[in-house]
Amino acid sequence: MGTWRSCLFLALGFLAFPWALAEDWRLTRSQTLTQGKAQEWRYTLSPSGKESQELWRRLSEQYRDHLRAGYRVELGAWRVYFLGGRLRVEPHCQAVNPACFTFGALPVAKERQDRFLLELSALLDQALVQANGTGGVVSLPRLFRLEVPKKANPPYPASPSGWRP
């Protein structure tokens, strides 16, 4: 009986894990219907809560400056950069850890920024994997928007979202 309960609690813990991570970010999946016909899927990442929104506003400003200067912005499992004047998103770290990120010079504790970016990376990866299976648009407001054709291989061409290069 004790082993059964341990397994049950462990299973419930794994089921609750994705929701436990979703403190700073949310991923919204939507699809438009026109005249009874389904259109492409949209996957939108957005910071949740005022503190997260402010942190993302300040961090995304620094990321845009990095991109304008010709640097890459590393977002854990993915990286964003300009190549030939076009914005691209490509795989970066397979085993995501704090060293896989471009950190902002912000008056925020490193642990806070780590948690914020790790959650962003996990949801961005989830959005891109889902979009690859269905085809669709992935948006990270204030940074980029990209269209992912069904079963396409990265790198993905993207366009700036909310800013000009």
Side-chain angles (χ1 to χ4, degrees), residues 6-159:
S6 297
C7 289
L8 178 62
F9 286 119
L10 187 59
L12 289 174
F14 282 121
L15 289 175
F17 184 70
W19 293 284
L21 282 179
E23 292 177 11
D24 292 315
W25 289 93
R26 72 178 150 253
L27 173 60
T28 306
R29 178 180 172 185
S30 61
Q31 187 177 36
T32 305
L33 298 175
T34 56
Q35 296 180 359
K37 194 173 190 179
Q39 299 297 316
E40 69 185 6
W41 285 98
R42 285 188 312 259
Y43 302 87
T44 305
L45 288 125
S46 55
S48 57
K50 288 187 179 193
E51 181 197 354
S52 297
Q53 290 168 2
E54 179 61 18
L55 181 55
W56 178 240
R57 184 189 65 75
R58 293 173 25 207
L59 196 55
S60 65
E61 287 172 0
Q62 290 184 19
Y63 285 169
R64 293 186 311 233
D65 289 344
H66 280 21
L67 291 168
R68 284 184 188 111
Y71 297 108
R72 295 174 186 246
V73 171
E74 297 172 345
L75 300 173
W78 298 90
R79 108 174 70 197
V80 183
Y81 62 97
F82 277 104
L83 181 64
R86 305 225 4 125
L87 196 61
R88 299 171 61 90
V89 176
E90 72 178 11
H92 176 50
C93 275
Q94 290 182 349
V96 177
N97 63 69
C100 298
F101 295 98
T102 301
F103 284 94
L106 301 173
V108 176
K110 182 181 180 325
E111 297 78 27
R112 173 69 179 113
Q113 213 173 134
D114 285 350
R115 189 178 81 234
F116 186 80
L117 292 171
L118 285 166
E119 188 177 327
L120 169 61
S121 176
L123 289 178
L124 178 58
D125 192 50
Q126 180 183 343
L128 288 167
V129 166
Q130 288 180 6
N132 189 276
T134 62
V137 175
V138 175
S139 295
L140 179 54
R142 304 184 57 84
L143 199 57
F144 65 81
R145 177 185 185 278
L146 60 95
E147 292 186 35
V148 180
K150 189 174 184 177
K151 305 292 183 202
N153 292 322
Y156 302 119
S159 57

